[in-house]
């Protein structure tokens, strides 16, 4: 085994907003040699090849999910954040995505009872009605800013309502979601971390009141389902556990779906013939959604920690190292996907992307995300013709983030169809 140097990659920084906006050249260079890249800024080992990611994701004994969500901030600032949250609210404890078996099994079993296929099926008419209501707000204008007026609001309204918020409170919900993701998304100093934590604490105290209210008076919503997900022989989730699980569901169910909706629409305006194909045969929507997730993976990376020395692609990764699992890179690996930088919803292995992860930690919200994407895009196509970019986008076009991949804006123009 060797500890390869990366001198030929010295000009790469995955913390650079320009690289984060267009990371695929950097990914391809890392994949070509050595496959695993050690970030000089953080010491994280970045894994980029598809087969290596599969190994990491399906071997939690070696690649533990028990990683501090603020590990990007370094040990000292991470401790500042944890102490601040502990003093004023509830600390970041390890649940669901951040745990290994057998602990993970308990959380997953409880959450699986909430995110059932049947529940998503029952929610689908409401998703479509919400999509139509949003389109009603801009259809006659002939243009809209798609990210702010649709991609953000569609999953935001659905999830906010499931959390007991009114539909017009999505702005508050977005602020909370961004604060929850921020410690894993960008480097901040201690003061900025505490200021950001104040926003998360606002969400925590709202959720605490909501959890207690739903414990006493359950409704048909996500919060009630979580509070009452335990069986007769199981202990209910504690307040700290509920806070941790909910923060993960907010990040995974809101920001990433917004990102995927934006890239789906961007693909439709870049290749207008796709609009006609989906209108003529809506059954293609499933393959279209899967290829969008592969091509512009909304969650670019998550993290694991090695429990022992391990070798990947000839690179030695010492025990205790943080591993950045770059889903966005693996989904463009030419060893797995032919012509990986070409959008092709007819590719034979379109369903083999890692956009929702793999193994025991496969995304619990995948059915809901797929439904929101498919219904959201088809409803737009059913209501609007000749969807096109209203003006060129300013560079960099993506929101800077080490974690997610979302467009800053997407101004589109269109012709509203006549009502039936």
């Amino acid at each position: 085994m060797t500890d390869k140097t990366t001198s030929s990659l010295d000009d790469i920084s995955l913390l650079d907003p320009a690289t984060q906006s267009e990371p695929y050249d950097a990914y391809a260079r890392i994949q070509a040699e050595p496959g695993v890249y050690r970030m000089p800024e953080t010491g994280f080992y970045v894994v980029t090849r598809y087969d290596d990611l599969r190994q990491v994701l399906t071997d939690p004994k070696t690649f533990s999910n028990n990683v501090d969500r603020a590990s990007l901030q370094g040990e000292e600032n991470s401790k500042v954040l944890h102490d601040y949250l502990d003093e004023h609210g509830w600390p970041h404890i390890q649940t669901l995505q951040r745990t290994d078996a057998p602990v993970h099994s308990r959380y997953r079993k409880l959450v699986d009872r909430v995110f059932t296929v049947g529940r998503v099926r029952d929610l689908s008419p409401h998703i479509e009605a919400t999509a139509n209501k949003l389109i009603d707000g801009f259809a006659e204008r002939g243009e809209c800013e798609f990210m702010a007026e649709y991609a953000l609001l569609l999953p935001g309204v659905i999830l906010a309502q499931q959390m007991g918020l009114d539909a017009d409170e999505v702005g508050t919900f977005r602020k909370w979601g961004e604060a929850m993701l921020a410690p894993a998304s960008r480097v901040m100093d201690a003061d900025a971390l505490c200021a950001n934590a104040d926003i998360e604490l606002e969400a925590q105290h709202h959720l605490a009141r909501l959890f207690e209210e739903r414990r006493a008076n359950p409704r048909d919503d996500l919060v009630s389902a979580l509070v009452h997900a335990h069986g007769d022989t199981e202990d209910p989730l504690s307040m700290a556990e509920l806070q941790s699980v909910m923060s993960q569901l907010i990040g995974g169910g809101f920001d990433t779906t917004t990102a995927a909706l934006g890239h789906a629409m961007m693909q439709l305006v870049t290749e207008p013939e796709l609009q006609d194909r989906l209108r003529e045969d809506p059954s293609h929507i499933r393959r279209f959604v899967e290829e969008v997730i592969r091509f512009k993976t909304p969650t670019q990376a998550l993290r694991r920690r090695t429990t022992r020395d391990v070798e990947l692609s000839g690179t030695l990764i010492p025990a205790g190292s943080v591993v950045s699992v770059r889903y966005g890179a693996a989904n463009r690996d030419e060893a797995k996907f032919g012509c990986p930088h070409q959008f092709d919803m007819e590719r034979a292995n379109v369903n083999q992307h890692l956009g929702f992860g793999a193994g025991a930690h496969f995304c619990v919200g995948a059915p809901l995300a797929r439904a929101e994407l498919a219904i959201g895009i088809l409803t737009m196509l059913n209501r609007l013709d000749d969807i096109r970019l209203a003006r060129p986008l300013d560079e960099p076009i993506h929101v800077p983030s080490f974690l997610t991949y979302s467009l800053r804006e997407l101004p589109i123009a269109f012709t509203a169809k006549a009502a039936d």
Side-chain angles (χ1 to χ4, degrees), residues 98-291:
R98 304 183 187 102
T99 57
D100 302 316
V103 176
H104 171 259
S105 302
R106 171 179 179 253
Y107 293 119
R108 183 65 186 231
K109 182 168 63 174
L110 293 175
V111 176
D112 278 344
R113 293 174 183 167
V114 175
F115 286 91
T116 64
V117 174
R119 187 179 185 88
V120 172
R121 187 187 307 113
D122 292 343
L123 198 56
S124 293
H126 181 53
I127 296 172
E128 184 174 1
T130 301
N132 275 304
K133 185 176 180 179
L134 293 174
I135 295 170
D136 287 342
F138 55 72
E140 296 307 316
R141 293 206 321 259
E143 63 180 21
C144 75
E145 202 292 280
F146 182 79
M147 297 305 295
E149 296 186 69
Y150 193 79
L152 173 71
L153 295 179
L154 181 59
V157 166
I158 299 299
L159 197 51
Q161 289 173 341
Q162 291 291 304
M163 291 176 59
L165 293 170
D166 294 331
D168 59 2
E169 293 182 277
V170 173
T172 298
F173 184 63
R174 179 190 187 186
K175 178 182 70 173
W176 292 348
E178 289 176 346
M180 292 171 179
L181 288 173
S185 301
R186 66 181 187 272
V187 176
M188 295 179 278
D189 62 24
D191 289 341
L193 280 169
C194 291
N196 182 80
D198 285 334
I199 301 173
E200 182 173 358
L201 287 163
E202 178 186 319
Q204 284 191 351
H205 288 286
H206 169 87
L207 288 171
R209 293 189 295 271
L210 194 60
F211 289 140
E212 293 301 339
E213 197 280 329
R214 293 297 194 271
R215 201 184 302 277
N217 303 293
R219 300 183 189 177
D220 184 23
D221 59 22
L222 174 64
V223 174
S224 298
L226 278 176
V227 169
H228 296 279
H230 58 93
D232 294 337
T233 61
E234 300 165 311
D235 292 330
L237 294 174
S238 69
M239 182 59 71
E241 289 175 314
L242 285 167
Q243 295 282 356
S244 177
V245 169
M246 186 58 74
S247 72
Q248 292 176 66
L249 296 181
I250 289 172
F254 182 33
D255 191 78
T256 55
T257 305
T258 294
L261 277 166
H263 284 122
M265 183 52 66
M266 186 68 170
Q267 200 62 42
L268 292 173
V269 301
T270 302
E271 298 186 60
E273 63 275 11
L274 290 174
Q275 298 180 36
D276 294 332
R277 288 184 65 187
L278 291 174
R279 289 190 186 99
E280 292 168 4
D281 188 352
S283 69
H284 287 308
I285 191 64
R286 291 185 179 182
R287 299 183 68 84
F288 174 79
V289 165
E290 299 304 319
E291 181 66 350

Side-chain angles (χ1 to χ4, degrees), residues 17-24 27 147 255-263 292-301 326 328 332 397-408:
T19 303
Q20 291 172 350
S21 185
E22 295 296 337
Y24 295 104
Y27 290 162
M147 297 305 295
D255 191 78
T256 55
T257 305
T258 294
L261 277 166
H263 284 122
V292 166
I293 294 169
R294 182 201 70 84
F295 193 62
K296 297 286 187 177
T297 308
T299 298
Q300 286 285 295
R326 302 305 292 188
R332 293 283 192 102
I397 67 173
H398 292 96
V399 177
S401 176
F402 185 68
L403 181 68
T404 57
Y405 197 51
S406 184
L407 291 164
R408 290 177 182 270

